[in-house]
Each structure stands twice: as C-alpha cells, then as structure tokens.
Amino acid sequence: SIPLLRACLALLAMPVYLLSLLGIWEPFCEKIFFPYILGALFESHKRKSKPHKQELFRNLPDFTGASGELRLLEIGTGLGANFQFYPAGCKVTCTDINPNFQRGLLRSMGKNQHLHYENFLVAAGEDLRQVPSGSVDAVICTFVLCSVTSVDDTLREVLRVLRPGGAFYFLEHVAADPSSWKYFWQQVCFPTWKLFFCGCCLSREIWKNLEQARFSELKLKHISITLPWTPIQPHIIGYAVK
C-alpha cells in the first residue's frame, strides 16, 4: 500500500515534480519557498520546541573555554531561531548551505544584540574546512541532520572543529517506531516531502549515528513535538562531549 499511496501523493504534487525535472523547482525552493515555509508554517513548531531549547541550552556556559569566552559554531543557522537561547557575550559563527537565509538572519541578529557575531559562512555540515580544527567550545545543530547528505561525515566535522572537552548540542526530528502508524505515513510522504523541503528525510535514526560517533559522553533523550498535519513527531534532544 505504501507505493500506491506514494504514487497518489506524487500525482497531487505533479506540477512540482515537473518543475523539478525541468530544473526550475530546486532554485525556487531554496531561494523563496523553503525560507518562507521556515518563517511561517513552522512557527507553531518553534513555539512548541521553545521550552525544550531553553532546557537544552541552559548549561552552555559550562563549556566556556580557558580564554573566558564562549565560542559557538552553529550548523544550519537558517533564520537564527536559536540566538535568543545563547548566553550574553558569546561569540557566534553562523554557517548554512543556503545563502538565501541571510536577509532573515540579519533581522534575527538585530533582535539579539546580546551576542557577538563573528562570521557567516556558506558551507555544508559535511565540509567545514573554513573552520579551524579545535577552535570552538560548542557546536549547535537543530533540525539540520535530517537534510545533510551524510550524518556521519557531519559528525566527524563536528568532532574536528570542537576543542577537547567541547560539546555538540542537537535537537532533531527522527524516525517513528516502525510498528506505528506515524512511521507508516513517514514512509508514504518521504519522496514528496523530501522534494518540498530541500532534502529533508523523515525517517533517519539519527540517535544511532550519535551513539556510534567518537564522543566521550552522550546525553540523549527521545521526546515528542507535534507539528499538526505532518508526519513529524518523534524527536531526539541532548548534547555530546568531545
């Protein structure tokens, strides 16, 4: 039944599939559609995830380096939704593979002047070569590992840029229980969802990648954050220490 339902969904989204075949959809999605969706449709999700983020980032100051400054690197900064949770005075380097977020990002920077913004790098999570090894105290990554080309390569880059004793903070939506209806609908929606949301994968078991990465300590828990009328509900949240 999954292939049949996938075909029905693809039929409903046929104009987008045709635009994709013509090479028109992806540039439009990256420049206009996806930034708009992040700022509008996912506003409800941001409200629901706020208390989880407040709790997650509460101990960020504990990872301040020997210099007395907290140096943060955020992968997939997007529109800067995490800035409000960072401690005052910390130095932030923003990275994103999509340069079209920059206008919204500047607005967010203006609202969060308690931070020092050092740089904005157009870079994928799998290739942070512009960031020196061992140069940051914490790496932040929220709702990004679902769409990177390789979760393992991204985690290797995280470990490289972190100083020893530094921390990697994450909040990601993940695959549902394989026996659940939620997982069934994740499988049905996957191809069309991925097309609409710039490569976002609904059913990644990201906790397994984190468990297999070479972190010395991993604090991870499974939580539920519902985005109405979508197959997104199961999430993981926590931090890992290099």
Side-chain angles (χ1 to χ4, degrees):
S1 59
I2 288 177
L4 176 61
L5 289 171
R6 280 184 176 179
C8 292
L9 195 57
L11 188 62
L12 291 173
M14 186 57 68
V16 175
Y17 277 91
L18 290 174
L19 289 173
S20 179
L21 286 173
L22 294 171
I24 297 172
W25 171 252
E26 281 75 11
F28 171 79
C29 184
E30 291 179 4
K31 188 172 183 178
I32 299 174
F33 180 78
F34 193 51
Y36 171 77
I37 287 294
L38 277 187
L41 178 62
F42 285 89
E43 193 62 39
S44 170
H45 189 266
K46 286 189 286 186
R47 287 195 302 270
K48 292 180 179 180
S49 65
K50 184 175 181 177
H52 297 288
K53 288 185 177 182
Q54 288 173 326
E55 179 64 26
L56 173 64
F57 296 128
R58 184 170 295 174
N59 70 338
L60 259 176
D62 295 346
F63 293 97
T64 301
S67 66
E69 297 177 328
L70 180 63
R71 298 162 300 171
L72 301 183
L73 171 71
E74 183 164 359
I75 299 175
T77 306
L79 300 174
N82 293 328
F83 291 162
Q84 60 183 301
F85 306 107
Y86 297 161
C90 69
K91 295 186 174 181
V92 182
T93 296
C94 307
T95 74
D96 205 292
I97 196 171
N98 188 346
N100 298 298
F101 287 124
Q102 201 154 7
R103 181 181 298 177
L105 185 62
L106 290 173
R107 285 197 298 269
S108 187
M109 287 178 173
K111 295 177 182 178
N112 294 278
Q113 297 188 14
H114 63 291
L115 307 176
H116 297 298
Y117 302 101
E118 294 206 295
N119 208 347
F120 177 84
L121 307 175
V122 179
E126 303 92 331
D127 184 6
L128 299 172
R129 68 181 71 182
Q130 300 174 74
V131 183
S133 299
S135 64
V136 297
D137 301 306
V139 176
I140 315 295
C141 189
T142 61
F143 308 118
V144 174
L145 294 178
C146 60
S147 57
V148 296
T149 303
S150 170
V151 176
D152 290 333
D153 287 347
T154 300
L155 294 178
R156 276 191 284 270
E157 278 290 81
V158 168
L159 282 163
R160 181 185 66 79
V161 302
L162 275 175
R163 64 164 176 81
F168 172 58
Y169 287 78
F170 55 87
L171 172 58
E172 301 287 342
H173 68 82
V174 293
D177 185 319
S179 64
S180 67
W181 277 107
K182 185 68 68 174
Y183 185 80
F184 173 82
W185 287 111
Q186 284 180 337
Q187 298 304 305
V188 170
C189 296
F190 172 71
T192 300
W193 181 276
K194 188 174 182 180
L195 180 64
F196 270 83
F197 297 103
C198 289
C200 174
C201 296
L202 289 168
S203 55
R204 283 184 173 173
E205 299 175 329
I206 298 171
W207 65 90
K208 294 182 179 180
N209 302 91
L210 286 160
E211 290 167 353
Q212 294 166 5
R214 295 183 176 182
F215 290 104
S216 60
E217 181 182 354
L218 176 62
K219 303 287 187 180
L220 182 153
K221 65 179 180 179
H222 293 257
I223 62 172
S224 177
I225 304 175
T226 303
L227 185 59
W229 305 106
T230 75
I232 292 178
Q233 183 173 354
H235 290 66
I236 56 169
I237 188 170
Y239 66 93
V241 180
K242 177 178 176 178

